[in-house]
Amino acid sequence: MTKLIDRLKANFRIKNVTMQRADLIFLTVPEKQAVSLITYLRNQENFSHLVFLTAVDWIEENKFQLNYMLHNHGFNFSLGIRVMINRQKPVMTSIHHLWEHASTYQRELKEMFGIDFPGSPEIDQNFILEGWEDIPPLRRDFDTLKYSERTYFPRTGRKSHDPRKFMKSKIYPEQGEER
Amino acid sequence: MLKADRGKYPEIRNGKPIIDLDSQKFVKIWQGPQHPGVTGNMSLEIILSGDEVVDLKTHVGYLHRGFEKLLERRKYIQGFTIVCRICVPEPDTNEYLYAAGIEELAGIEVPERAKWLRTLTLEMSRLTSFLMWIGGQAAAFGMGTVGQWSLAHRDFILDLFEEISGGRIYHLYIIPGGVRDDLPAGFSRRLEKTLHDTEKLLREIDIVLFNNAVFKMRSKGLGIITPDMVDKYGIVGPNARAAGFKRDIRKDSPYLIYDQLDFDIITGNDSDVYDRARLRWKEMKQSIDLIRQIISRMPAAKDYHQPLPNVLHWKIPPGETYVKAESTRGEYGYYIVTDGTECPRRIYVRGPSYTHAVKVLEKLAINTNIADIHGLMISLHTYPPEIER
C-alpha cells in the first residue's frame, strides 16, 4: 500500500501518514483537496465503500477533525482521511452525490457538531434531537452536568415515617397524632 | 406481490413524486415508536395511496441516550458498562470491539485462550441475535409460533451466558487484557445439548417457515436489493451477501482466531426478503458449526487474562484506530481517538443499521404494500440504538 500513498502524494498535499495496522492507514489532507481526493479514491482506486463519516472536536487547537473512512473490498484495506476545518465557522463540501448514505452522516454532524454541509439533502431537518436549542451537544464545550442541572429540577424526597409510630397513630388516633 | 397501477398518481415531476395531501388521494400514517411490527423505538412516517406506500421517512430519536458523549466523560474501564447497552440483542460485539480498540492503542497482547473464549462468546451472541430475528421475521408475516419457539431457545443460550458471566443480557465478559473468567466445569456438555436442541429447532423452522406457501408468496420478490445499490448505499453483512457479494469481515480481515476456523462465506442470488431469511438461517447453522469447532480445538492453557496497570488511573497514549467485526447485521466498528488523558477523546460507533434503516429502507419501501413494511424492515435487520448512539 505504500505505492498507493506515493501515487496520492504526487497529486495531493498529503501529510501525517500513520500506518496504524497492515490494513489501516490514516492520512491528513487539506480542506480544499478533500472531496477531489475522495472522488479520485472512489472512482480510480476502487475505494467503493464509505464506512463512516464523523468528526472529532480538538477544542484546544480550535479545529474540527472530519474523518472519512473508505474501504477497498478488493485489497481489504481501509483508508482514514482526516480533514481539519475551522471550528469557528465550520463548513465543509458535501459528498452526498458520491454515496446516498453520506447525507445521513452529514445530517447528524450538522446536529451534533454544528458542521454545515451546504446542498446536502434534508441537512436542516432534525435527525435525533427534535427541538434542540442549546449548542450542538457533541462539542467539547457542551457540559452535560450543567445542562441537566439547568433543565431538570431536583425531586424532593418522600416524607418517611417510623412504621410503628405511624401505625399506632392510625389505629389509636385518640392517643395523639404522630409528628 | 401486488402490482398497482401507478399511471395516474402520484405524478412524477423532475424525478420526484408530487404528493399533495390536501387532494385526499393520499393518507399519511405513523407507525411507531410503539408498534408491534417496528423493531425497537423508531417510527415510520408512511404516505399511502390506497394500501400502497408512495413515500416513507424514518424518524429516530426516541431512545437517544448520548452514549458517545457519556463515554467521553468516563475512564476507559468505566465505559464497559455503557458500550454493551448500545445493542441489546448482541452486546458482545460491542464489548469485544471496545476492548480490542483500547488494547491496540495501549499495546496490550491478549493471551491465546482468551482469544478463543472471546470468539466463542461472539458466535454464541450471533446465534442469540439470529434467533431473536427469525421470530420477528416470521411474526411479521403472521406466524407468531416461530417466535415463541426461537425466543425460548434463545433463552437456553442466555442460560449458558449466565453460567459464564453471571449476566443474561449484558455479559461484561470481554474486558481489556482478555476475558473475566474461564469456562465452568461441564460447560461444553451443556453447550452441546443446547446446540443439539437448536439444530432441531432450525429443522422445524425450515419446515414451517421456509416451506410455507404464505411466507413464500409474500416474501419472494419483496424488497430486492440490486447489486449496484450495495456500494452506493453502504450495504453490508447478510444484506450484501444475499445480493451475491462475497463479503465477510471474519474471512476478509480475520480477527481473533477466525483464520484458524473452517467455514465458507454464504451468499445468495435473489436478494429479496425470502433469500435474506434463508441466508440468515444458513448462517445460524454455520454459527452452530463454528461453536463446535471452537470447543473442540480450544487450547487448554490456563492463562486467560493479561494483568493491566491500575485501571482507575490508566492513561492511554495519543492515537486513533478503527476496529471492526462481523455482527449479525454486518460490519460493526469502533473508531477510537485518544489524547493521552484518562478519558477517551472521541468514540464513534459505526452500526450497520445506520444505513439499512434510514436510506435503504426509505428506498425499498416505495411501491410496496403497507402490510409488507414490517417484514421488509425486519428483513434488513435493523436496531435503532445503533442509529442514535
Side-chain angles (χ1 to χ4, degrees), chain A residues 15-117:
Chain A
K15 291 177 294 185
N16 300 343
V17 179
T18 321
M19 286 275 275
Q20 184 63 30
R21 282 197 307 263
D23 60 347
L24 178 65
I25 286 182
F26 288 100
L27 52 86
T28 310
V29 73
E31 188 187 335
K32 290 240 165 62
Q33 289 191 339
V35 174
S36 54
L37 172 69
I38 291 164
T39 315
Y40 169 77
L41 285 168
R42 188 190 86 130
N43 294 343
Q44 306 293 323
E45 303 284 352
N46 201 17
F47 279 83
S48 56
H49 178 38
L50 173 71
V51 183
F52 64 82
L53 159 61
T54 189
V56 187
D57 188 357
W58 297 101
I59 190 168
E60 300 88 352
E61 299 160 29
N62 207 4
K63 294 260 193 238
F64 277 131
Q65 173 193 326
L66 285 176
N67 202 301
Y68 298 83
M69 183 67 71
L70 306 182
H71 187 76
N72 185 330
H73 281 291
F75 298 106
N76 291 317
F77 182 80
S78 298
L79 199 59
I81 295 163
R82 294 181 287 229
V83 184
M84 297 304 229
I85 59 172
N86 186 1
R87 199 172 177 279
Q88 297 305 324
K89 235 180 91 186
V91 181
M92 182 66 197
T93 321
S94 168
I95 55 160
H96 68 275
H97 55 287
L98 300 175
W99 287 281
E100 290 282 336
H101 58 297
S103 64
T104 320
Y105 287 107
Q106 290 170 359
R107 201 171 146 199
E108 193 191 356
L109 283 180
K110 171 84 191 269
E111 191 173 73
M112 290 293 177
F113 285 93
I115 302 170
D116 198 6
F117 294 86

Side-chain angles (χ1 to χ4, degrees), chain B residues 332-349:
Chain B
Y332 210 101
Y334 268 58
Y335 170 65
I336 301 178
V337 183
T338 52
D339 54 1
T341 57
E342 290 176 349
C343 305
R345 166 65 63 154
R346 172 104 170 92
I347 290 181
Y348 174 78
V349 185

